[in-house]
Amino acid sequence: MPKTEYSLYPLGFIHSPLKHRDEAPRQGGEGAPDAWLEVNPAIAEGLDGIVAGDEIIVITWFHQAQRDILKVHPRGDKTIPLTGVFATRSPDRPNPLGLHRVTVLEIDGNKLKVGPIEAIDGTPVVDIKPVLSQSADSQ
Amino acid sequence: MPKTEYSLYPLGFIHSPLKHRDEAPRQGGEGAPDAWLEVNPAIAEGLDGIVAGDEIIVITWFHQAQRDILKVHPRGDKTIPLTGVFATRSPDRPNPLGLHRVTVLEIDGNKLKVGPIEAIDGTPVVDIKPVLSQSADSQ
């Protein structure tokens, strides 16, 4: 990898009943629980305008990822041929960013209850964005 | 911001006819051009499995962003009240990640022609993911 690097800071962390990576579903829509996203009070004013019921994109940092992997068996299924990580959602990838579309269920100061989300307890959150209504933006 | 930080490395860069931030549309669907995404040859095998016609999510690093901004006028329109950056798609935000849903138009070795995309020439790309078909994942 080139030497250039960019620094991300945690905006906050996920508090979830999912404690281990091997108990997390592959995607939020596959039976994941709701979780609390607690942001650092110093940046909580950046949440102004988000209301319960909104759909948002949470970008996480998969802190337990292996970053030196370029090919995986999708969904960990060895019957599926090895595929480039950029053609998969594997958390193991050079820059282990996770993308989660969730609904905001409740807001309590600097905490958002969101779900469903497959990120495990303690996962850092590095960005939050609104879902845009135009179809060109749907993920 | 807390001292913890995570390092992102550029996977590659956008080559676009858009040279300046003030000529870029706000979103790809608002008249943005196509562009070439050239990845570092050392990680090009991570693209295996992506084919022309695929829809992918490109995550960029808005290298010209201001990172100390928590509230903005959405779309730069001062008639819209100041709003928390996490309720907007402003490139000015603590961790300036950009999310772009694009179509892969052509593949030439370690280069993907994608579009439409509003990222300017020279924008670093930090992740590439497939669009998932299930609705729970749509952005």
Side-chain angles (χ1 to χ4, degrees):
Chain A
M1 300 289 285
K3 282 191 179 168
T4 309
E5 58 183 82
Y6 314 113
S7 293
L8 287 176
Y9 302 93
L11 304 180
F13 295 89
I14 296 288
H15 302 292
S16 172
L18 289 173
K19 302 299 180 194
H20 300 288
R21 184 173 158 175
D22 57 9
E23 62 183 311
R26 300 261 162 193
Q27 300 297 333
E30 299 177 18
D34 300 329
W36 284 94
L37 189 177
E38 180 172 7
V39 308
N40 183 329
I43 54 136
E45 70 172 296
L47 300 174
D48 283 4
I50 298 178
V51 297
D54 281 355
E55 291 198 273
I56 59 173
I57 309 289
V58 174
I59 305 182
T60 58
W61 181 257
F62 287 130
H63 57 304
Q64 296 186 1
Q66 287 184 254
R67 302 185 63 173
D68 56 353
I69 286 183
L70 289 172
K71 291 207 167 184
V72 293
H73 293 287
R75 302 183 64 82
D77 180 345
K78 291 194 173 151
T79 69
I80 307 177
L82 280 170
T83 302
V85 287
F86 305 125
T88 80
R89 290 294 187 106
S90 170
D92 296 318
R93 54 203 309 118
N95 289 317
L97 296 169
L99 213 51
H100 315 266
R101 179 182 172 145
V102 296
T103 302
V104 177
L105 303 167
E106 192 179 333
I107 300 178
D108 178 11
N110 64 325
K111 295 194 281 277
L112 305 180
K113 188 177 187 182
V114 299
I117 186 163
E118 75 280 16
I120 63 172
D121 192 53
T123 298
V125 171
V126 295
D127 204 4
I128 299 168
K129 297 180 187 294
V131 172
L132 298 187
S133 53
Q134 72 224 60
S135 62
D137 183 67
S138 50
Q139 173 187 319
Chain B
M1 300 289 285
K3 282 190 178 169
T4 309
E5 59 182 81
Y6 315 113
S7 293
L8 286 176
Y9 302 93
L11 304 181
F13 295 89
I14 297 287
H15 302 291
S16 172
L18 290 174
K19 302 299 182 195
H20 300 288
R21 184 172 157 175
D22 57 10
E23 61 183 313
R26 299 262 162 195
Q27 299 298 331
E30 298 177 18
D34 300 329
W36 284 95
L37 188 177
E38 180 173 5
V39 308
N40 183 330
I43 54 136
E45 68 172 297
L47 301 174
D48 283 3
I50 298 177
V51 297
D54 281 355
E55 290 198 275
I56 58 173
I57 309 290
V58 174
I59 306 182
T60 57
W61 181 257
F62 286 130
H63 56 304
Q64 296 187 359
Q66 286 184 256
R67 302 185 63 174
D68 56 352
I69 286 183
L70 290 171
K71 291 206 168 185
V72 293
H73 292 287
R75 301 183 63 83
D77 180 346
K78 292 196 172 149
T79 68
I80 307 177
L82 279 170
T83 303
V85 286
F86 305 123
T88 81
R89 289 293 186 108
S90 170
D92 296 319
R93 54 203 307 119
N95 290 317
L97 296 169
L99 213 50
H100 315 266
R101 179 182 171 145
V102 296
T103 302
V104 177
L105 303 166
E106 192 179 333
I107 300 179
D108 179 11
N110 64 324
K111 296 196 279 277
L112 305 179
K113 189 177 186 183
V114 300
I117 185 162
E118 75 280 16
I120 64 172
D121 193 52
T123 299
V125 171
V126 295
D127 205 3
I128 299 168
K129 297 179 188 292
V131 172
L132 298 187
S133 52
Q134 71 224 60
S135 63
D137 183 65
S138 50
Q139 173 186 322

